[in-house]
C-alpha cells in the first residue's frame, strides 16, 4: 500500500527580509545588495506558492521564521545594555554585523536540515540533521532555532529523530538538503540517498573550487549518512563540478534536481557525470521502475543561463507514476534558451509533463528559488498524522497568514532600517503572534526571558 507522500515545508519569509550582499559566491546576493526589499511582497509570494501546491493536492507545510535582528548573537559578541542601546551601538560600530544578524535567510529551508525518510533508516524513524551552514556567518546562527522549530513541528519522538548540527567548522560544512536528493520508486519504499559535496576537506590533494567557497564537504555528508543509519548500498556521493561553483552555483540545487526515479541535471553539474550515473544505477538495482537521467546539454542551456534563470532550482513533483510537474521561477520564462528548452522537454516523453511558473522575485534577488524555499519530507500516513497539525497550509491558514503579514510587515526595507528599534518591536510582536497561530510554543529567546 503506497500511503506515503512527499510533503514540502516552506520557510515563511520573515519581517526583516533584506538585500545585504552577505553571500560571497552567490551572484544574486552580491549583485542586488543595497537594493530596497519588500518584506510584505516576499512573504506573500511565498504564501502564494505554498497555497498553489496545497490546492494541487500536495502536502504543504509552513516553517516559522527566526527572531531578527538576533540580539542574543550581538550579546554573545560583547554588546551590552538594552536592546535599543545595542542596536544604536552596533549600527555605529559594526553595520555589516547588524546586517548579518538581521537576515531572513532562514526562509530558505532547503538549507535547514538533511532529511532521511523512515523507509531508509536503520531504526525506522524519520531523521532530521539541522545544517550548521558554517560557511556564512549570517547563516551559521540559524541552526539552533531551526532545530527548535523542527522539534516543535515534528514533535513525536516515536516517529521523528532530531540531530543537532555537525561541528560548525569548514571541514564539516553542511548546507543541508540543497545538496541532498532522495530517489525512490515509491515514497514509502526504501530509497537511494544522493549526497553532493563541493570538496573533500581532509584530502588537500583533491580538486576543489578556487574562486568561490565549496560550502559543503564530503565528510559532512558521510557524517549525516552515518547518524541517520543509512546502508552504504543505498548511499551515493558525487562531487559537484568545481568550475560551476566558481561560476556561482553555490548549492547543487542550482544545477540539478531529482525526484523519485528522475534526475534532472545540467551536463556540467558534476565532476564525473559517468560515475554519478553508474553509481546511481548500481544503487537503484533491480527496482522495476526505470530510472530517468534527464541531462540538459550546455548547447541548449548554458551554466550562465542556469544561474540567471534558476531552471534547476525548481520543484519536481509527482502527480502519478512518471507524471511530474516542474515548478519554476518566472525568470525561466524570461530566458529564451531556458523557456525554449522547457517547451521541448514537456513535448518529449520525459516524465516531466507540465511546467508551472511562479513569481518569487523577492527571494530570487537574494539567490533563492522555489527549491531553496522548501524542505522535502517524505511521510507515511502515520507520520503525517503526527506532524503539528497547525503548520499545514490550507484555505484558513492562507487567509490567516496573509492578514498577519498585512498587519505586521513593512513593504519597504533598506539596510539603514535594520537599526530601527521599532522594526525589532514589530518583528517580535509578529513572531509572538505567529507561534500562537502555528501552535509552536514559546520557541524564541525573546519569549523566554
Ligand atoms: N538556498 C538558497 C540560499 C540563498 C542564501 N542567500 C543569502 O543568504 C543572501 C543574504 C543576503 O545577501 O542578504 C545563501 O547564499 O545561503
Amino acid at each position: 500500500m503506497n500511503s506515503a507522500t512527499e510533503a514540502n515545508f516552506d520557510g515563511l519569509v520573515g519581517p526583516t527580509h533584506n538585500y545585504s550582499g552577505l553571500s560571497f559566491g552567490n551572484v544574486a546576493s552580491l549583485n542586488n545588495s543595497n537594493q530596497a526589499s519588500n518584506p510584505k511582497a516576499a512573504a506573500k509570494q511565498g504564501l502564494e506558492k505554498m497555497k498553489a501546491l496545497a490546492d494541487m493536492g500536495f502536502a504543504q507545510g509552513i516553517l516559522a521564521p527566526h527572531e531578527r535582528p538576533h540580539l542574543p548573537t550581538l550579546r554573545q559578541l560583547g554588546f551590552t545594555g538594552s536592546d535599543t542601546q545595542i542596536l544604536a551601538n552596533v549600527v555605529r560600530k559594526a553595520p555589516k554585523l547588524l546586517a548579518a544578524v538581521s537576515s531572513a535567510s532562514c526562509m530558505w529551508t532547503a538549507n535547514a536540515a538533511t532529511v532521511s525518510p523512515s523507509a531508509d533508516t536503520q531504526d525506522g524513524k524519520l531523521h532530521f540533521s539541522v545544517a550548521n551552514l558554517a560557511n556564512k556567518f549570517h547563516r551559521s546562527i540559524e541552526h539552533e532555532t531551526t532545530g527548535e522549530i523542527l522539534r516543535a513541528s515534528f514533535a513525536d519522538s516515536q516517529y521523528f529523530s532530531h540531530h543537532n548540527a555537525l561541528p560548525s567548522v569548514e571541514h564539516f560544512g553542511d548546507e543541508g538538503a540543497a545538496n541532498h536528493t532522495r530517489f525512490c520508486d515509491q515514497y514509502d519504499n526504501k530509497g537511494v540517498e544522493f549526497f553532493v559535496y563541493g570538496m573533500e576537506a581532509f584530502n588537500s590533494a583533491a580538486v576543489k573550487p578556487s574562486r568561490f567557497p565549496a560550502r559543503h564537504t564530503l565528510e559532512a555528508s558521510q557524517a549525516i549518512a552515518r547518524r541517520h543509519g543509512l546502508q552504504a548500498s543505498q548511499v551515493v556521493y558525487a562531487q559537484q563540478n568545481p568550475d560551476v561553483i566558481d561560476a556561482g552555483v553555490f548549492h547543487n540545487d542550482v544545477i540539478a534536481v531529482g525526484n523519485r526515479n528522475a534526475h534532472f541535471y545540467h551536463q556540467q553539474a558534476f565532476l564525473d557525470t559517468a560515475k554519478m550515473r553508474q553509481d546511481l544505477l548500481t544503487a537503484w538495482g533491480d527496482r522495476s521502475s526505470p530510472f530517468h537521467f534527464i541531462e540538459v546539454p550546455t548547447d541548449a542551456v548554458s551554466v550562465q543561463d542556469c544561474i540567471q534563470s534558476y531552471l534547476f532550482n525548481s520543484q519536481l513533483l509527482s502527480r502519478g507514476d512518471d507524471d511530474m510537474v516542474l515548478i519554476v521561477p518566472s525568470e525561466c520564462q524570461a530566458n529564451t534558451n531556458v523557456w525554449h528548452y522547457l517547451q521541448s522537454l514537456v513535448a518529449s516523453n520525459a516524465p516531466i509533463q507540465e511546467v508551472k511558473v511562479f513569481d518569487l522575485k523577492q527571494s530570487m534577488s537574494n539567490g533563492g528559488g522555489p527549491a531553496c524555499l522548501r524542505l522535502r519530507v517524505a511521510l507515511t500516513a502515520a507520520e503525517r498524522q503526527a506532524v503539528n497539525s497547525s503548520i499545514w497550509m490550507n484555505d484558513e491558514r492562507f487567509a490567516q497568514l496573509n492578514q498577519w503579514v498585512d498587519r505586521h510587515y513593512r513593504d519597504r526595507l533598506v539596510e539603514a532600517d535594520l537599526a530601527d528599534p521599532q522594526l525589532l518591536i514589530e518583528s517580535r510582536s509578529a513572531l509572538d503572534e505567529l507561534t500562537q497561530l502555528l501552535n509552536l510554543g514559546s520557541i524564541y529567546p525573546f519569549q523566554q526571558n
Side-chain angles (χ1 to χ4, degrees), residues 47 67 87 95 192 198 257 266 285 340 351 380 383:
L47 287 167
E67 169 190 359
L87 289 174
V192 172
V257 58
H266 189 267
H340 178 75
T380 64
E383 290 158 354

PDB file of all heavy atoms in Angstrom, residues 47 67 87 95 192 198 257 266 285 340 351 380 383:
ATOM      1  N   LEU A  47       3.732  32.599   0.265  1.00  0.00           N
ATOM      2  CA  LEU A  47       2.434  32.020   0.640  1.00  0.00           C
ATOM      3  C   LEU A  47       1.652  31.585  -0.600  1.00  0.00           C
ATOM      4  O   LEU A  47       0.995  30.545  -0.601  1.00  0.00           O
ATOM      5  CB  LEU A  47       1.625  33.029   1.463  1.00  0.00           C
ATOM      6  CG  LEU A  47       2.110  33.250   2.906  1.00  0.00           C
ATOM      7  CD1 LEU A  47       1.452  34.484   3.527  1.00  0.00           C
ATOM      8  CD2 LEU A  47       1.844  32.007   3.760  1.00  0.00           C
ATOM      9  N   GLU A  67      13.841  34.989  14.947  1.00  0.00           N
ATOM     10  CA  GLU A  67      13.896  36.333  15.532  1.00  0.00           C
ATOM     11  C   GLU A  67      15.064  37.088  14.895  1.00  0.00           C
ATOM     12  O   GLU A  67      16.211  36.674  15.002  1.00  0.00           O
ATOM     13  CB  GLU A  67      14.105  36.214  17.042  1.00  0.00           C
ATOM     14  CG  GLU A  67      14.440  37.521  17.733  1.00  0.00           C
ATOM     15  CD  GLU A  67      14.872  37.321  19.204  1.00  0.00           C
ATOM     16  OE1 GLU A  67      14.901  36.180  19.691  1.00  0.00           O
ATOM     17  OE2 GLU A  67      15.179  38.349  19.834  1.00  0.00           O
ATOM     18  N   LEU A  87      21.349  48.114  19.512  1.00  0.00           N
ATOM     19  CA  LEU A  87      21.127  48.436  18.090  1.00  0.00           C
ATOM     20  C   LEU A  87      21.844  49.737  17.720  1.00  0.00           C
ATOM     21  O   LEU A  87      22.523  49.821  16.695  1.00  0.00           O
ATOM     22  CB  LEU A  87      19.626  48.552  17.795  1.00  0.00           C
ATOM     23  CG  LEU A  87      18.832  47.248  17.817  1.00  0.00           C
ATOM     24  CD1 LEU A  87      17.339  47.525  17.651  1.00  0.00           C
ATOM     25  CD2 LEU A  87      19.319  46.272  16.751  1.00  0.00           C
ATOM     26  N   PRO A  95      28.160  48.026  11.254  1.00  0.00           N
ATOM     27  CA  PRO A  95      26.907  47.899  10.492  1.00  0.00           C
ATOM     28  C   PRO A  95      26.772  46.576   9.737  1.00  0.00           C
ATOM     29  O   PRO A  95      25.675  46.038   9.624  1.00  0.00           O
ATOM     30  CB  PRO A  95      26.941  49.097   9.547  1.00  0.00           C
ATOM     31  CG  PRO A  95      28.345  49.584   9.529  1.00  0.00           C
ATOM     32  CD  PRO A  95      28.937  49.211  10.847  1.00  0.00           C
ATOM     33  N   VAL A 192      17.237   5.659  -2.461  1.00  0.00           N
ATOM     34  CA  VAL A 192      18.664   5.887  -2.669  1.00  0.00           C
ATOM     35  C   VAL A 192      18.933   7.322  -2.247  1.00  0.00           C
ATOM     36  O   VAL A 192      18.255   8.241  -2.716  1.00  0.00           O
ATOM     37  CB  VAL A 192      19.051   5.710  -4.156  1.00  0.00           C
ATOM     38  CG1 VAL A 192      20.502   6.142  -4.390  1.00  0.00           C
ATOM     39  CG2 VAL A 192      18.813   4.276  -4.594  1.00  0.00           C
ATOM     40  N   GLY A 198      31.000  19.804  -2.279  1.00  0.00           N
ATOM     41  CA  GLY A 198      31.818  20.745  -3.059  1.00  0.00           C
ATOM     42  C   GLY A 198      33.296  20.465  -2.940  1.00  0.00           C
ATOM     43  O   GLY A 198      34.073  20.783  -3.812  1.00  0.00           O
ATOM     44  N   VAL A 257      18.165  18.751  -9.969  1.00  0.00           N
ATOM     45  CA  VAL A 257      17.060  18.445  -9.043  1.00  0.00           C
ATOM     46  C   VAL A 257      16.574  17.028  -9.346  1.00  0.00           C
ATOM     47  O   VAL A 257      16.597  16.582 -10.501  1.00  0.00           O
ATOM     48  CB  VAL A 257      15.890  19.460  -9.181  1.00  0.00           C
ATOM     49  CG1 VAL A 257      15.330  19.488 -10.596  1.00  0.00           C
ATOM     50  CG2 VAL A 257      14.777  19.157  -8.177  1.00  0.00           C
ATOM     51  N   HIS A 266      22.220  19.404 -15.169  1.00  0.00           N
ATOM     52  CA  HIS A 266      22.938  20.029 -16.277  1.00  0.00           C
ATOM     53  C   HIS A 266      24.178  19.210 -16.611  1.00  0.00           C
ATOM     54  O   HIS A 266      24.806  18.615 -15.729  1.00  0.00           O
ATOM     55  CB  HIS A 266      23.330  21.473 -15.926  1.00  0.00           C
ATOM     56  CG  HIS A 266      23.875  22.233 -17.090  1.00  0.00           C
ATOM     57  ND1 HIS A 266      25.219  22.297 -17.366  1.00  0.00           N
ATOM     58  CD2 HIS A 266      23.250  22.927 -18.068  1.00  0.00           C
ATOM     59  CE1 HIS A 266      25.393  23.011 -18.458  1.00  0.00           C
ATOM     60  NE2 HIS A 266      24.233  23.415 -18.907  1.00  0.00           N
ATOM     61  N   GLY A 285      19.600  -0.582  -8.541  1.00  0.00           N
ATOM     62  CA  GLY A 285      19.493  -2.041  -8.577  1.00  0.00           C
ATOM     63  C   GLY A 285      18.366  -2.532  -9.465  1.00  0.00           C
ATOM     64  O   GLY A 285      18.133  -2.000 -10.551  1.00  0.00           O
ATOM     65  N   HIS A 340      12.672  27.917 -24.172  1.00  0.00           N
ATOM     66  CA  HIS A 340      12.604  27.065 -25.377  1.00  0.00           C
ATOM     67  C   HIS A 340      12.904  25.610 -25.004  1.00  0.00           C
ATOM     68  O   HIS A 340      12.196  24.685 -25.396  1.00  0.00           O
ATOM     69  CB  HIS A 340      13.618  27.574 -26.404  1.00  0.00           C
ATOM     70  CG  HIS A 340      13.663  26.748 -27.654  1.00  0.00           C
ATOM     71  ND1 HIS A 340      12.669  26.804 -28.621  1.00  0.00           N
ATOM     72  CD2 HIS A 340      14.556  25.814 -28.072  1.00  0.00           C
ATOM     73  CE1 HIS A 340      12.944  25.946 -29.582  1.00  0.00           C
ATOM     74  NE2 HIS A 340      14.098  25.326 -29.283  1.00  0.00           N
ATOM     75  N   PRO A 351       9.421  12.146 -18.064  1.00  0.00           N
ATOM     76  CA  PRO A 351       8.355  12.144 -17.061  1.00  0.00           C
ATOM     77  C   PRO A 351       7.846  13.540 -16.701  1.00  0.00           C
ATOM     78  O   PRO A 351       6.805  13.676 -16.079  1.00  0.00           O
ATOM     79  CB  PRO A 351       9.011  11.467 -15.849  1.00  0.00           C
ATOM     80  CG  PRO A 351      10.455  11.516 -16.086  1.00  0.00           C
ATOM     81  CD  PRO A 351      10.642  11.549 -17.568  1.00  0.00           C
ATOM     82  N   THR A 380       5.029   8.836   5.943  1.00  0.00           N
ATOM     83  CA  THR A 380       3.988   7.809   5.880  1.00  0.00           C
ATOM     84  C   THR A 380       2.705   8.448   6.428  1.00  0.00           C
ATOM     85  O   THR A 380       2.731   9.535   7.021  1.00  0.00           O
ATOM     86  CB  THR A 380       4.352   6.620   6.790  1.00  0.00           C
ATOM     87  OG1 THR A 380       4.379   7.091   8.156  1.00  0.00           O
ATOM     88  CG2 THR A 380       5.700   6.018   6.423  1.00  0.00           C
ATOM     89  N   GLU A 383       3.057   9.134  10.098  1.00  0.00           N
ATOM     90  CA  GLU A 383       3.949  10.267  10.389  1.00  0.00           C
ATOM     91  C   GLU A 383       3.250  11.581  10.053  1.00  0.00           C
ATOM     92  O   GLU A 383       3.345  12.571  10.780  1.00  0.00           O
ATOM     93  CB  GLU A 383       5.253  10.121   9.603  1.00  0.00           C
ATOM     94  CG  GLU A 383       6.138   8.992  10.082  1.00  0.00           C
ATOM     95  CD  GLU A 383       7.134   8.498   9.034  1.00  0.00           C
ATOM     96  OE1 GLU A 383       7.070   8.962   7.877  1.00  0.00           O
ATOM     97  OE2 GLU A 383       7.954   7.639   9.361  1.00  0.00           O
TER      98      GLU A 383
END
